Amino acid sequence: MIKFDFSTYTNKFINQEEYRNLLEKKNEYIEKLTNYQMTGWLNRIDDSLVQDLKATGELIKNNFDCLVIIGIGGSFLGSYAFDKAMRKYFLDNKYEIIYAGTTLSSKYLDELLEYLKDKNYAINVISKSGTTMETTITYKLLKDDLKRRYSEEEVKKHIFVTTDEKNGSLREEVNKEGYKSFIIPEDIGGRYSFITPAHLLPLSINYDINKIIDGYYRGKKVMDKAYEYAITRYLLWKSNRYIESFCMYEENLSFFAEWLKQLFGETEGKEGKGIFPVSTIHTRDLHSLGQFIQEGNKIVFETFIKIEESNHYIDYNKRNLHEINNIVEDAVMLAHYKGNVPCIEITIDKLEEESLAELMLFFMLSAAFSGFLMGIEPFNQPGVEVYKNEVRVSLNS
Ligand code: PA5
């Protein structure tokens, strides 16, 4: 279960009349969202697809040393964030998944190929468009490596493709080569694709995806809370709070913050509008950005993610260390509030599959509402094309 406190440390920064007016429009916005295009991520995933994903995950686990995910942005961040949040810090014994496709660093790719030299690895290339530069380059490098090592027929068994149903070069390749493939539905964009094979195939290898799916749809029950979070953020933005810092008290959630940054950054950052998302990992960042937040330019507000209980009991002077971590969180919120920084708190019971997936849908709903409130289209990212065009021009000149 998720608990929310949007008001204790924000009330005095928000125009209460505007808040009430927007709150009255809740059902209107919910109806708009549920009837909007590109909201296939609200629909129930098909059971036969879930079975296929599990069977494919099992096949990968049983036949290959590791899986290399090739994708960028919304095509990898969901599963990456989830996986990183759930893994052990040390002596992690989960199946190895390598996330590539996010860099053109020759150092990284050269060292990756070197690392994979003696491994019998599989690839899951994930791209809705099938044209993304980083994904295309990494995929070609790894496919060429497989081709050097295996017969044509054998290479086909190593490649798993997740892409659009009909369009794009990856779909054409699947049709030609007969690779095992999955679909990213037409009505679901990258950063909203957590409940599609783009993320559920990689996750099926190490996690019970039924738990993830159940938790995710539980998030629909907090749709009204997602709207309340959206209006709180919106009114803070209107009072010149242009930066939202997501504060995590578990180091492994730093990648979850990366997912949040992409979700809100690409959803809202258009037409000169939007809240710039950043993250702070506590308590380490209290010794860096904490100073700015406490006493610097008042353009920031914070969203704290608290985890109520931990399975790890550590006694420190007869107190549970996890409790101490949470007491510190409360104290930091109060300190920042006293420094005139609005703070929002979202609490989950435990760091586990269901609650994390529920939280993800909650944030996706909020991001979409936020786009509507700001008067921008939540499901596109035209600005990303600008750099791609410049790259094309530069590479061809
Ligand atoms: O959220 C989005 O839509 C983007 O971040 C895309 O996921 C990202 O640009 C990758 O696109 P594609 O899946 O087409 O390779």
Side-chain angles (χ1 to χ4, degrees):
M1 214 183 76
I2 316 185
K3 283 192 278 189
F4 308 92
D5 186 348
F6 304 137
S7 56
T8 308
Y9 296 132
T10 62
N11 267 350
K12 74 171 183 192
F13 303 98
I14 282 175
N15 179 322
Q16 291 303 312
E17 198 186 326
E18 272 194 81
Y19 187 86
R20 276 191 301 276
N21 288 343
L22 282 170
L23 201 56
E24 273 174 23
K25 294 188 178 151
K26 186 193 306 186
N27 290 340
E28 208 179 288
Y29 276 94
I30 291 181
E31 204 184 317
K32 177 168 177 174
L33 179 70
T34 43
N35 292 316
Y36 206 71
Q37 75 247 1
M38 296 304 287
T39 50
W41 45 279
L42 291 171
N43 302 335
R44 190 86 207 173
I45 185 169
D46 200 71
D47 279 344
S48 58
L49 173 57
V50 176
Q51 292 317 318
D52 192 7
L53 288 165
K54 284 182 176 177
T56 309
E58 242 352 81
L59 181 140
I60 292 172
K61 195 149 86 176
N62 294 335
N63 289 282
F64 301 98
D65 297 334
C66 63
L67 173 68
V68 183
I69 302 293
I70 305 174
I72 196 165
S75 282
F76 97 104
L77 267 166
S79 67
Y80 182 71
F82 193 98
D83 192 19
K84 293 285 177 189
M86 297 301 296
R87 280 192 190 244
K88 287 168 74 172
Y89 285 105
F90 303 101
L91 299 175
D92 177 63
N93 55 5
K94 288 195 162 53
Y95 182 81
E96 186 179 17
I97 302 202
I98 297 166
Y99 290 86
T102 58
T103 176
L104 297 179
S105 155
S106 357
K107 174 170 162 53
Y108 176 82
L109 289 164
D110 197 27
E111 289 177 8
L112 174 65
L113 286 165
E114 174 68 21
Y115 177 72
L116 293 172
K117 200 171 62 183
D118 301 318
K119 293 198 184 287
N120 177 31
Y121 66 92
I123 291 174
N124 179 201
V125 55
I126 308 165
S127 175
K128 186 166 183 197
S129 62
T131 57
T132 302
M133 176 184 61
E134 296 85 344
T135 309
T136 308
I137 291 176
T138 311
Y139 176 46
K140 180 169 183 338
L141 289 174
L142 265 64
K143 194 167 52 174
D144 286 350
D145 180 55
L146 290 174
K147 281 182 182 164
R148 278 191 292 273
R149 292 164 54 177
Y150 303 103
S151 70
E152 208 175 300
E153 276 316 297
E154 191 57 32
V155 167
K156 290 183 185 175
K157 296 185 192 150
H158 288 244
I159 297 177
F160 300 82
V161 178
T162 309
T163 189
D164 189 80
E165 186 176 8
K166 300 188 194 108
N167 302 313
S169 53
L170 272 177
R171 182 52 64 191
E172 276 170 30
E173 197 180 323
V174 166
N175 293 341
K176 183 162 165 258
E177 304 290 350
Y179 300 145
K180 172 74 183 165
S181 75
F182 290 95
I183 293 167
I184 304 175
E186 207 184 345
D187 58 354
I188 304 184
R191 59 192 172 279
Y192 290 86
S193 67
F194 183 68
I195 208 66
T196 74
H199 305 276
L200 292 178
L201 177 59
L203 289 175
S204 71
I205 295 175
N206 285 313
Y207 304 96
D208 177 350
I209 56 170
N210 286 108
K211 283 189 183 174
I212 298 176
I213 294 166
D214 287 350
Y216 177 87
Y217 291 112
R218 223 162 64 183
K220 279 178 99 169
K221 296 193 186 131
V222 288
M223 176 125 36
D224 54 344
K225 290 289 170 193
Y227 177 73
E228 285 169 37
Y229 176 52
I231 59 176
T232 307
R233 297 171 71 257
Y234 172 67
L235 293 176
L236 288 169
W237 172 67
K238 280 187 70 183
S239 62
N240 304 335
R241 300 287 170 162
Y242 298 127
I243 297 175
E244 176 174 25
S245 178
F246 293 102
C247 312
M248 309 292 173
Y249 277 75
E250 186 67 59
E251 186 81 29
N252 270 357
L253 285 178
S254 60
F255 303 98
F256 191 77
E258 293 306 308
W259 176 78
L260 285 170
K261 280 147 79 172
Q262 195 242 353
L263 174 68
F264 284 101
E266 273 196 346
T267 296
E268 294 175 347
K270 289 158 209 167
E271 300 176 25
K273 299 175 187 171
I275 298 165
F276 190 76
V278 300
S279 57
T280 48
I281 311 303
H282 294 186
T283 57
R284 100 168 118 83
D285 288 340
L286 293 172
H287 301 260
S288 66
L289 293 177
Q291 170 61 37
F292 185 105
I293 291 164
Q294 187 72 50
E295 294 185 342
N297 197 337
K298 296 299 161 206
I299 48 175
V300 182
F301 69 95
E302 297 181 289
T303 295
F304 287 74
I305 312 259
K306 187 192 257 181
I307 302 165
E308 197 134 87
E309 287 169 44
S310 167
N311 292 335
H312 300 272
Y313 180 83
I314 295 185
D315 180 274
Y316 182 78
N317 288 346
K318 302 207 170 23
R319 293 182 93 157
N320 181 352
L321 188 60
H322 185 71
E323 255 173 52
I324 295 178
N325 201 18
N326 281 344
I327 290 169
V328 171
E329 191 204 309
D330 293 341
V332 169
M333 246 189 332
L334 186 58
H336 289 182
Y337 174 72
K338 286 182 177 168
N340 273 327
V341 177
C343 298
I344 290 167
E345 188 180 45
I346 296 172
T347 309
I348 58 172
D349 298 343
K350 275 189 175 178
L351 188 50
E352 58 190 9
E353 281 95 330
E354 289 93 336
S355 47
L356 210 52
E358 182 180 9
L359 199 56
M360 288 171 103
L361 183 58
F362 163 80
F363 279 118
M364 283 156 62
L365 290 163
S366 295
F369 285 133
S370 184
F372 294 155
L373 290 160
M374 290 180 183
I376 45 113
E377 167 55 50
F379 302 118
N380 65 5
Q381 55 285 327
V384 179
E385 292 309 312
V386 182
Y387 101 85
K388 290 186 185 168
N389 289 337
E390 287 300 335
V391 170
R392 262 178 231 123
V393 172
S394 302
L395 285 177
N396 292 330
S397 65

